[in-house]
Amino acid sequence: MSTDDVLMTDAEADDAGELLVWPWTGILAMSTTAGEDADDVATTTLAFHAHQHFASVTTTALQEEPTNHQHRQQHFLLFHFGKSWAGLRDAMSLAFHFAGAGRREWRRRGEGDSEGAGVVFGWAAVEEDLLGDGAVGRSLRESGAAARSVEDVEKDEASVAVTLGAVAGEYERRERFLDAKNKGMVRVIQKVEEESSWLHGELKELKDVADNILPAMNHGAEEENEKLRAELAAIEGEIELRVDRIQELKECRTELHYSKVEKLVIEINSLDMDIKSEASDHAQMLHIKHKEEMEAINAKVIQLEKQLEQKEAQESAICLLNTKLQTGENIKMEEYEHLYKLMIISRECLEQKFGRFQKAYVDLTKRDQLNRDQLQETHQEVIKCVESMMIGDSTVIGIKRMGQLDEKPFHHACKRKYRDDDPEGKAERLVSSWQDELKNKSWNPFTTILVDGEEKDIVNEDDPKLRQLWIEYGDNVCNAVKVTLRELNEYSPQARHAVNELWNFREGRKAKMAEVVKYIFEQLKTSS
């Protein structure tokens, strides 16, 4: 059986059925008779015992004046051991350190019997002390202490462990969810970029067609129209000349002989019929040609509209234009305008689609940031829970201050360098000066390099301050400063202050949530 088990067994036997004060508290008590130096002697004696047994524990000194039925002044020193299992063991150890001088002996001898004057009594604070009317009871109640059993504390610790397990499970679930979302977002962005690149290429081709090919085709159509108009003008001029000739012949009809007139009339009618027949044939030919062209154009336009509905309007329009250019067919201005409208509509559709993709990307980015914020909050909650557990110094999993300078190499280096010339003091001053230097935002001993195509900041080995530190104090001190610089650059590059992180001290890396929860359960099981 270990010493702690012996202490626990003795305390439980001594205070069977008593509820302990939580947070765990120990009491040293001493009574003195009236005298000029009585208070100083009591204070010094209690402080000596406190330093001898629990030098690093916070204490509170109390004094209670004698009442009517008491003739001695009572002095108390309260030990505040905290809420951890180690604190409970320390409180229980008072029964071992002050065997035969515990609470019962204090009540029997320390309050009224002159035999107890000058004797130091010690015990773990219990419910009776908390409810007492004296200075001890008032101080404990003002500090918010409560009377609890060890079993209740064990149940609370188990509840905390369950909560940590749930938090860790939720953390891992959200981490997997975020990874899946990130991968999905990356695929969507890649697809959007590929489609955007294709759309930009299509728009560029359509723009080239609109800027170069269509103007050339319009120019050819204008020349053809001018030619047709010139032919029509020549035909109209010839018709007018012949009409004028007919009119002249009609005016001369009265002056000619009837037979001659009849002959002229026959000639005129024949000539008029020839003119009308020639004009009618030419007009009919133009009408047929125009009709054929319109039918061809309409067919092409219908084909383009169908292709537009099938998301292939751009390619069909370009193929149609290339075909007509190669065969030398004439295309009217209306068809050119219609084709231009199709290109405008296609471009608008592409821009709207690109806008939707941009909006989806912004929404995914916002959701990703929100999830990351939630994960960060959960991470901070776990850190607070681990801090409240108060696990011992030899812990495997705990909290590491990232960006906090390691002082051990400085002390070792100063002991080697200065030996008898106040090495500890020089080490403390050296550590303090470098802590201030690390917070100096104007000092930037980093250089940027490319690693696998990505830029990465590393500590500049040739920095003058680091070189001088290495020359004066060696590798270990210089490496400690470099490690702290890298941690600050990773965790707090702007503010340059230390940040708490869950840490696996055995393997020297950040601890996983599953490791943290498992280790807490093991510690609780060992303590109980």
Side-chain angles (χ1 to χ4, degrees):
M1 181 179 294
S2 65
T3 303
D4 291 340
D5 294 335
V6 172
L7 294 176
M8 293 287 286
T9 303
D10 292 342
E12 290 172 358
D14 185 54
D15 296 316
E18 290 279 6
L19 297 179
L20 298 177
V21 173
W22 187 85
W24 317 118
T25 305
I27 300 175
L28 291 186
M30 178 180 176
S31 62
T32 59
T33 58
E36 295 181 356
D37 299 332
D39 293 343
D40 294 337
V41 171
T43 302
T44 303
T45 303
L46 293 178
F48 170 76
H49 283 278
H51 182 76
Q52 182 179 11
H53 298 297
F54 307 105
S56 61
V57 177
T58 304
T59 61
T60 300
L62 300 174
Q63 182 177 328
E64 191 165 359
E65 297 297 332
T67 60
N68 293 331
H69 62 280
Q70 291 178 340
H71 303 287
R72 288 178 294 164
Q73 196 169 26
Q74 297 178 344
H75 302 270
F76 300 95
L77 191 66
L78 304 186
F79 292 99
H80 304 288
F81 293 114
K83 301 178 180 180
S84 66
W85 292 108
L88 174 61
R89 287 193 292 271
D90 290 340
M92 291 302 185
S93 69
L94 286 171
F96 173 76
H97 295 305
F98 294 91
R103 181 168 53 86
R104 292 188 179 91
E105 287 73 12
W106 165 256
R107 295 297 301 272
R108 181 170 57 81
R109 295 193 298 170
E111 293 185 351
D113 194 346
S114 61
E115 182 183 349
V119 179
V120 178
F121 298 83
W123 66 90
V126 297
E127 184 179 21
E128 182 180 350
D129 299 314
L130 177 65
L131 301 177
D133 296 331
V136 174
R138 289 194 299 273
S139 177
L140 290 175
R141 289 192 295 274
E142 289 174 359
S143 67
R148 303 184 67 185
S149 66
V150 177
E151 290 77 10
D152 292 338
V153 175
E154 289 179 343
K155 291 178 182 178
D156 290 346
E157 296 292 343
S159 177
V160 170
V162 172
T163 302
L164 286 175
V167 169
E170 179 66 14
Y171 184 91
E172 292 182 352
R173 186 189 67 78
R174 291 187 180 183
E175 188 176 15
R176 291 193 298 271
F177 174 77
L178 268 183
D179 290 339
K181 283 292 184 182
N182 285 337
K183 292 178 181 178
M185 187 173 66
V186 169
R187 289 193 296 269
V188 170
I189 292 173
Q190 290 177 348
K191 185 176 180 181
V192 168
E193 290 178 349
E194 293 174 359
E195 189 162 354
S196 175
S197 175
W198 178 81
L199 293 177
H200 281 299
E202 292 293 316
L203 285 174
K204 184 178 180 181
E205 292 182 2
L206 290 174
K207 191 174 183 300
D208 291 339
V209 171
D211 294 341
N212 300 322
I213 299 176
L214 289 180
M217 295 179 67
N218 289 337
H219 182 69
E222 289 177 359
E223 291 181 352
E224 183 68 22
N225 290 335
E226 288 293 334
K227 184 178 179 181
L228 290 175
R229 282 195 290 270
E231 291 180 358
L232 288 174
I235 292 173
E236 290 176 355
E238 185 177 354
I239 291 175
E240 289 178 355
L241 289 175
R242 293 189 181 186
V243 169
D244 292 341
R245 176 62 179 165
I246 292 171
Q247 188 63 32
E248 290 176 359
L249 291 175
K250 286 183 179 179
E251 290 176 355
C252 296
R253 182 175 52 184
T254 56
E255 300 177 359
L256 296 175
H257 190 267
Y258 177 77
S259 60
K260 197 172 184 178
V261 170
E262 185 177 9
K263 184 177 179 181
L264 288 172
V265 169
I266 295 171
E267 183 180 351
I268 289 170
N269 290 332
S270 176
L271 181 59
D272 192 15
M273 291 178 63
D274 291 340
I275 292 172
K276 289 181 178 180
S277 176
E278 184 177 354
S280 176
D281 292 341
H282 190 72
Q284 186 176 4
M285 182 181 65
L286 289 176
H287 178 71
I288 293 172
K289 183 177 180 182
H290 178 71
K291 184 178 179 181
E292 291 176 352
E293 290 178 352
M294 289 301 298
E295 289 177 352
I297 290 173
N298 289 332
K300 294 296 182 181
V301 170
I302 292 172
Q303 181 182 3
L304 287 174
E305 290 176 349
K306 290 181 179 179
Q307 290 174 344
L308 179 63
E309 294 174 356
Q310 301 172 357
K311 297 182 180 180
E312 297 178 352
Q314 300 92 340
E315 296 180 2
S316 300
I318 293 172
C319 291
L320 175 63
L321 291 174
N322 289 333
T323 302
K324 290 204 173 220
L325 289 174
Q326 292 175 359
T327 57
E329 294 182 17
N330 297 323
I331 300 177
K332 295 189 68 177
M333 183 60 64
E334 292 82 1
E335 187 172 2
Y336 292 142
E337 293 176 353
H338 185 69
L339 291 174
Y340 182 74
K341 289 179 181 179
L342 290 179
M343 288 188 292
I344 294 297
I345 292 172
S346 299
R347 185 177 63 186
E348 291 176 353
C349 292
L350 293 175
E351 290 176 351
Q352 291 175 0
K353 192 172 184 180
F354 184 71
R356 289 195 299 271
F357 281 126
Q358 282 185 324
K359 185 176 182 299
Y361 173 74
V362 171
D363 292 338
L364 286 173
T365 302
K366 290 180 179 179
R367 288 199 295 270
D368 177 69
Q369 185 61 41
L370 179 61
N371 289 330
R372 289 183 182 276
D373 293 341
Q374 292 176 351
L375 283 175
Q376 185 63 26
E377 292 176 1
T378 303
H379 188 259
Q380 293 301 321
E381 292 175 1
V382 174
I383 289 177
K384 292 179 181 178
C385 291
V386 174
E387 287 179 333
S388 67
M389 294 295 295
M390 294 184 64
I391 302 173
D393 296 336
S394 61
T395 179
V396 176
I397 303 297
I399 304 299
K400 181 181 179 183
R401 296 279 290 169
M402 308 304 291
Q404 184 72 33
L405 191 62
D406 186 6
E407 300 180 6
K408 293 180 181 179
F410 290 83
H411 286 276
H412 292 326
C414 288
K415 287 180 181 178
R416 289 195 306 269
K417 184 173 183 178
Y418 300 109
R419 296 186 181 275
D420 299 330
D421 187 15
D422 189 21
E424 293 297 329
K426 292 183 182 295
E428 292 294 338
R429 290 191 291 273
L430 183 63
V431 170
S432 177
S433 66
W434 274 97
Q435 287 283 17
D436 295 338
E437 188 64 39
L438 290 170
K439 296 177 182 178
N440 183 11
K441 298 179 181 180
S442 62
W443 184 43
N444 186 31
F446 295 96
T447 184
T448 303
I449 62 172
L450 285 177
V451 179
D452 297 331
E454 294 183 358
E455 293 184 350
K456 184 178 180 182
D457 291 337
I458 62 171
V459 178
N460 185 7
E461 300 289 342
D462 296 326
D463 182 83
K465 293 182 180 180
L466 294 177
R467 294 288 296 177
Q468 186 63 30
L469 180 66
W470 175 76
I471 292 172
E472 292 182 3
Y473 297 96
D475 286 333
N476 293 336
V477 174
C478 189
N479 289 335
V481 174
K482 290 179 183 178
V483 169
T484 306
L485 280 171
R486 284 192 288 268
E487 291 175 353
L488 287 173
N489 193 46
E490 179 181 358
Y491 286 88
S492 181
Q494 300 298 328
R496 285 204 178 185
H497 59 75
V499 177
N500 288 341
E501 179 60 275
L502 296 170
W503 196 258
N504 187 322
F505 290 98
R506 177 180 294 169
E507 299 182 11
R509 58 171 174 78
K510 288 197 297 185
K512 300 178 181 178
M513 293 303 299
E515 293 177 338
V516 175
V517 174
K518 180 180 178 182
Y519 191 77
I520 290 174
F521 274 108
E522 291 176 354
Q523 292 298 311
L524 292 174
K525 183 178 180 181
T526 302
S527 299
S528 61

